[in-house]
Amino acid sequence: MNHYVLVLNCGSSSLKFSVVNPDNGDEPFKGIAERLNTNETGSLTIKTANSKQQTDLTPSTHEQALLEIVQALKNQGLAESISAVGHRVVHGGEYFSQSVVIDDSVRDKIADCIRLAPLHNPAHVTGIDAARKAFPNLTQVAVFDTAFHQQMPEKAYLYALPYELYQRHGIRRYGFHGTSFRYISAQLPQCLGIEKPKAVVCHLGNGGSLAAIDGDHSLDTTMGLTPLEGLVHGTRSGDIDPAIPTLLCQQNGMTPDSVSDLLWKQSGLLGLSGISNDCRTLEEALEQGNEAAQRAMHVYCYRLAKLIAAQVVALGGLDALVFTGGIGENSSYVRSQAVKALGFLGLHIDASKNDATIRGKQENIASAESLPIWVIPTNEEWLIAHDAHQLAQGKTL
Ligand code: ADP
């Protein structure tokens, strides 16, 4: 019998789920529950190899979604094949440097990290509690976005704030997208033929971050205490002068909540363009000569190039540049514009390889005289399934 892992990614109003084969990453059953805990009717969408079903969800809660997922797994004859549940958890603070089996103490530490990730961790705790009820006999494993970065040196993770804020409140750089960075770092030795390569990896999705990866760990990364810092994101600002939020409150009559909404939801590509947070839409507008789209994409690509160069400092050398995530895997425009500014680092793109490498292709898109520039599709679900399966069997990672 197959041993599948149910991978759960719980947000405040959504629950993404996927049944993953930990050996090869196959996903025979996946979907999303949406509009949870809102005034609207919730919905549950389930996709299998040959069907897609959408139903209303009442009550629209994480608990109800899991009950219906369990029922659908039984109907599909998959329930008995699930050997573990893997939870994607955004913030593990300094508690977790690798994936762990969830017990009461782990659950409480994830709850304690709510102070560091108030937008994400509350939903993870809700999801974990609901999943422990729905699958009382299965091992549940937490896989943290922050874990991969826990070996960063102090000089990379400290902010120049009173040290006491770090000591008493844990205010420091944690970094995110760790599951994706770990997946990519595991592929790199084979791609490059180097056992412990030094690589700058760009995970570019709706949120984007870079990591300076030395073999199997990061030495620096661009996201910080929260996933707001660093690159220009879809709707998030990325780096700004830290005086701006105070100034907006003092001079523009904004409240802390409205500033937060502005920085998280109305900025980034959306704020700069006034058109969309979606890179595809902006590239289409750019082709039509739209100036607002051009402005947004220019800021995006310039910031990306600048931060790539900064990550090379952390590594003290470079064996390869890597692109991944929805934008990194698909936007030959973003890749070419960013790398155009990095010739001084020995990075040059081959235009035709770049244009051909989209939609899940894995390829070195560098020209002959360049350091390697790889596009590698990421697979966070597979890594979560791998960790959950290993730990459920009592093995080490
Ligand atoms: P998330 O961070 O939500 O996981 P993804 O990694 O799926 O996001 O990335 C979403 C981003 O990828 C969006 O900005 C989307 O426009 C972009 N993207 C997807 N396909 C393409 C494409 N063919 N060309 C350019 N951008 C793309």
Side-chain angles (χ1 to χ4, degrees):
M1 191 180 15
N2 278 318
H3 290 283
Y4 290 113
V5 174
L6 176 63
V7 174
L8 298 179
N9 183 352
C10 294
S12 56
S13 65
S14 71
L15 190 169
K16 290 187 198 144
F17 54 92
S18 179
V19 170
V20 182
N21 181 332
D23 296 329
N24 57 20
D26 274 358
E27 296 175 90
F29 176 105
K30 62 180 181 178
I32 184 166
E34 292 172 284
R35 296 188 293 281
L36 304 180
N37 312 308
T38 64
N39 295 330
E40 297 169 73
T41 312
S43 79
L44 176 66
T45 309
I46 297 178
K47 290 185 211 162
T48 61
N50 41 25
S51 73
K52 180 178 171 182
Q53 266 194 346
Q54 187 168 1
T55 49
D56 285 351
L57 194 63
T58 347
S60 63
T61 60
H62 289 82
E63 288 80 3
Q64 184 64 24
L66 279 168
L67 284 179
E68 298 202 13
I69 291 165
V70 171
Q71 189 54 49
L73 287 169
K74 284 184 182 159
N75 296 346
Q76 294 282 328
L78 279 168
E80 296 298 314
S81 316
I82 310 261
S83 62
V85 182
H87 294 262
R88 181 210 174 195
V89 177
V90 164
H91 221 305
E94 288 188 334
Y95 289 124
F96 303 106
S97 55
Q98 62 172 25
S99 308
V100 286
V101 172
I102 298 173
D103 56 17
D104 289 344
S105 138
V106 166
R107 183 253 181 231
D108 291 347
K109 286 176 179 144
I110 294 170
D112 183 49
C113 291
I114 287 175
R115 65 197 160 79
L116 299 170
L119 298 178
H120 297 96
N121 274 37
H124 299 328
V125 174
T126 305
I128 286 168
D129 290 347
R132 289 174 90 190
K133 256 193 226 159
F135 302 96
N137 300 321
L138 293 185
T139 304
Q140 315 251 344
V141 168
V143 180
F144 302 92
D145 278 13
T146 47
F148 182 76
H149 302 296
Q150 274 297 298
Q151 291 182 53
M152 272 191 300
E154 188 185 63
K155 65 184 178 189
Y157 71 68
L158 280 183
Y159 292 119
L161 291 166
Y163 189 58
E164 195 190 312
L165 283 179
Y166 166 59
Q167 289 175 303
R168 294 186 58 182
H169 302 292
I171 305 247
R172 52 160 279 182
R173 176 183 312 288
Y174 289 93
F176 297 88
H177 291 137
T179 313
S180 174
F181 290 132
R182 199 176 124 218
Y183 177 86
I184 300 292
S185 70
Q187 313 299 313
L188 280 177
Q190 209 187 348
C191 293
L192 301 172
I194 303 173
E195 201 184 330
K196 289 196 167 178
K198 290 177 187 293
V200 173
V201 179
C202 311
H203 178 109
L204 310 177
N206 283 314
S209 72
L210 311 186
I213 297 185
D214 187 9
D216 59 1
H217 62 283
S218 67
L219 294 178
D220 206 344
T221 189
T222 57
M223 282 180 170
L225 174 75
T226 73
L228 184 59
E229 196 180 342
L231 288 167
V232 175
H233 309 283
T235 62
R236 301 176 224 149
S237 65
D239 293 338
I240 57 166
D241 184 332
I244 293 172
T246 336
L247 188 142
L248 288 173
C249 289
Q250 290 167 342
Q251 296 181 16
N252 295 47
M254 292 182 75
T255 62
D257 279 352
S258 61
V259 171
S260 176
D261 191 68
L262 178 115
L263 297 176
W264 284 85
K265 297 186 180 154
Q266 301 171 41
S267 298
L269 289 173
L270 174 66
L272 277 167
S273 69
I275 299 173
S276 173
N277 62 313
D278 193 300
C279 182
R280 260 169 307 196
T281 311
L282 293 177
E283 283 188 35
E284 278 160 25
L286 194 72
E287 277 168 28
Q288 314 287 323
N290 184 298
E291 281 181 20
Q294 197 173 53
R295 173 172 66 223
M297 294 307 287
H298 282 176
V299 176
Y300 185 93
C301 296
Y302 174 67
R303 176 87 55 88
L304 173 59
K306 201 162 84 163
L307 290 178
I308 289 171
Q311 295 298 307
V312 178
V313 174
L315 293 171
L318 187 67
D319 295 316
L321 175 65
V322 181
F323 290 100
T324 191
I327 297 174
E329 291 167 30
N330 291 295
S331 177
S332 53
Y333 172 82
V334 165
R335 294 187 305 236
S336 72
Q337 291 302 305
V339 174
K340 214 155 85 176
L342 297 169
F344 71 97
L345 286 174
L347 293 163
H348 306 276
I349 264 184
D350 178 306
S352 58
K353 283 187 194 160
N354 185 34
D355 288 345
T357 306
I358 52 171
R359 291 197 204 96
K361 281 199 194 139
Q362 179 162 317
E363 192 63 68
N364 178 6
I365 57 167
S367 63
E369 76 274 24
S370 171
L371 287 173
I373 305 172
W374 277 84
V375 176
I376 303 180
T378 195
N379 196 333
E380 289 158 289
E381 281 74 19
W382 190 359
L383 198 55
I384 294 172
H386 166 270
D387 284 6
H389 184 61
Q390 291 288 107
L391 292 176
Q393 288 188 314
K395 295 185 182 165
T396 52
L397 295 174

